[in-house]
Amino acid sequence: MQGKARNRLDTTQNQQTDRTTMKFFIGQVAKMTGCSVPTVRYYDGIGLLSPAEITPGGHRMYTAEEIWRLKLILTLRYLNFGIDDIKRMLAGDIPVDMAIEWQIEALDIQMRTLASMKSILEQTKQSKGGSDSLSYMHELIESISTDALEREKFILEKMVSSVFPEQFPVEWREIFLLGVNVSSLLEGKLSAAQTAALDELEEMFNDPQIVLEMKQDVMSFLEVVHLPKISVETWTARMLNNHKQLLKAAEQHATPDSPVIQANIQEYVLMFADVDELPVSHSFFRRFAERMLSSQSEHLERFRRICSIMYPSLQSYMKTNELFYQALQWKLQQLDKE
């Protein structure tokens, strides 16, 4: 009896092993997951889903592990996650809960956008303008865009008055405001998505806790950059160069621990150190990194993401800003290990 039981157990284990080691052709994988063959090939081409093996005949072969990964990718795509975000989630570059929070915020914006568009269509329908309905719709959108621009100016003025303390130098304000000339952002119409983002910004600046965190971030920024030896012009030029280098590295999918990113971080920190040559001392780097990282919060990250929707030109800044803080955090962790 024991021998038979052992044989049945061995058979079951062998079957389980076979299932995990079995390899499937791309067509079989497509049928199993409900995905198209071209899509599976596309994910391979962009490095999101590599096959377990490519046969001498050029056939892609997949195991249960790759099939599970494909199902996960398809689930995330169904939830409207972007390809870059999925890559970083699967690679562990960004925490899953953070990515989920970003997606929830994006969906909130989309819901506001759809509600705004629905309202415009309903008002147009109720106007019963007949052949003039398109003209009515155009005038309605023009009116909404004009109102949105006025609200945008008001919100930016409110931000400056409520967040910046009197001792904060005027010449540094635009540098703090995401490194852009704010006045240049006020030109042109706002899309439905930008109008929805504007609503979100207004809510943020009506929240005392968020305003307080922004004030604290402003003062931390001022303590870091307001040094006698560095001018606004010098700072701006160096920041622009730093941004370009990080953006180029990000586009090449450089990771926070890569030599090119870490060299960029060292050059950035050098602007605040009382030395002229790299590398800066570990003790100074630690103090600098801890101060910069301590000033960050979920509300500030949310503010930057909303701003990137309002002002698409800031999306590249968002990419480099995130990479910058990840690189700081990685270097700090390495110093802790030493």
Side-chain angles (χ1 to χ4, degrees):
M1 292 292 293
Q2 290 180 348
K4 291 182 178 179
R6 185 179 298 109
N7 288 337
R8 285 196 297 270
L9 179 60
D10 291 343
T11 300
T12 302
Q13 290 176 338
N14 288 336
Q15 289 174 343
Q16 291 174 343
T17 301
D18 288 342
R19 290 193 190 101
T20 58
T21 57
M22 283 181 64
K23 295 177 182 177
F24 303 88
F25 289 103
I26 190 170
Q28 294 174 303
V29 172
K31 288 182 180 179
M32 293 166 64
T33 59
C35 182
S36 68
V37 171
T39 298
V40 181
R41 289 197 184 112
Y42 170 71
Y43 289 153
D44 180 18
I46 63 174
L48 192 57
L49 179 72
S50 299
E53 175 190 339
I54 297 180
T55 68
H59 295 289
R60 294 175 173 85
M61 305 298 293
Y62 299 84
T63 65
E65 183 177 349
E66 287 78 43
I67 293 172
W68 176 86
R69 184 182 176 95
L70 175 58
K71 289 181 178 179
L72 180 58
I73 292 168
L74 295 174
T75 299
L76 293 172
R77 289 297 291 147
Y78 174 80
L79 294 173
N80 208 33
F81 281 90
I83 293 296
D84 286 342
D85 286 340
I86 293 175
K87 277 185 179 181
R88 294 165 62 199
M89 289 170 67
L90 296 180
D93 292 338
I94 56 174
V96 174
D97 56 349
M98 180 184 293
I100 290 174
E101 182 62 32
W102 291 356
Q103 194 64 6
I104 290 173
E105 290 178 6
L107 289 173
D108 285 339
I109 293 293
Q110 290 178 32
M111 290 169 66
R112 290 172 185 260
T113 301
L114 292 173
S116 175
M117 294 168 66
K118 181 181 178 183
S119 175
I120 291 172
L121 292 173
E122 286 180 341
Q123 290 182 58
T124 302
K125 180 181 178 181
Q126 293 170 6
S127 70
K128 297 181 179 179
S131 60
D132 293 332
S133 291
L134 291 178
S135 297
Y136 179 85
M137 185 187 300
H138 173 73
E139 292 174 1
L140 184 59
I141 293 173
E142 287 281 333
S143 175
I144 291 173
S145 296
T146 301
D147 291 342
L149 287 172
E150 290 301 318
R151 285 178 58 216
E152 180 189 26
K153 293 178 183 178
F154 173 77
I155 291 172
L156 288 174
E157 290 171 359
K158 183 178 180 179
M159 178 174 67
V160 170
S161 62
S162 61
V163 171
F164 289 108
E166 292 183 3
Q167 64 268 39
F168 198 96
V170 175
E171 63 270 21
W172 284 100
R173 289 183 180 179
E174 286 191 349
I175 301 298
F176 177 80
L177 291 173
L178 304 177
V180 295
N181 186 334
V182 175
S183 61
S184 67
L185 301 175
L186 302 178
E187 301 175 357
K189 299 177 183 178
L190 296 183
S191 67
Q194 288 173 310
T195 302
L198 188 61
D199 293 336
E200 186 80 8
L201 279 181
E202 191 167 22
E203 289 181 9
M204 294 186 74
F205 285 106
N206 286 328
D207 187 324
Q209 178 60 37
I210 297 178
V211 172
L212 177 60
E213 290 181 15
M214 287 189 170
K215 283 183 177 180
Q216 294 171 343
D217 189 40
V218 163
M219 292 310 298
S220 176
F221 177 87
L222 184 59
E223 291 172 4
V224 170
V225 305
H226 192 47
L227 303 175
K229 72 170 187 175
I230 190 167
S231 66
V232 175
E233 293 75 19
T234 301
W235 170 265
T236 303
R238 291 184 179 180
M239 280 294 292
L240 181 59
N241 183 59
N242 180 268
H243 167 74
K244 288 180 177 178
Q245 290 178 356
L246 280 178
L247 183 59
K248 182 178 180 181
E251 290 173 345
Q252 296 174 347
H253 306 291
T255 55
D257 60 336
S258 64
V260 63
I261 297 296
Q262 286 301 314
N264 181 283
I265 296 300
Q266 287 285 336
E267 290 178 4
Y268 180 87
V269 177
L270 183 65
M271 288 193 284
F272 310 99
D274 295 326
V275 295
D276 296 320
E277 296 181 1
L278 291 171
V280 295
S281 70
H282 286 179
S283 60
F284 181 86
F285 189 98
R286 181 184 296 279
R287 292 196 305 274
F288 177 88
E290 289 176 346
R291 172 174 289 183
M292 292 291 288
L293 291 168
S294 66
S295 67
Q296 300 308 298
S297 70
E298 291 183 6
H299 287 143
L300 293 177
E301 285 298 313
R302 177 180 161 209
F303 168 70
R304 295 188 183 103
R305 290 195 296 276
I306 297 300
C307 283
S308 70
I309 296 173
M310 274 287 294
Y311 312 115
S313 62
L314 297 181
Q315 291 177 3
S316 64
Y317 166 83
M318 281 292 299
K319 183 180 292 186
T320 60
N321 184 72
E322 186 181 341
L323 186 57
F324 170 82
Y325 282 106
Q326 288 176 349
L328 272 185
Q329 184 68 57
W330 181 86
K331 181 61 177 179
L332 201 56
Q333 291 172 349
Q334 300 311 300
L335 293 179
D336 290 340
K337 295 177 181 179
E338 295 179 358

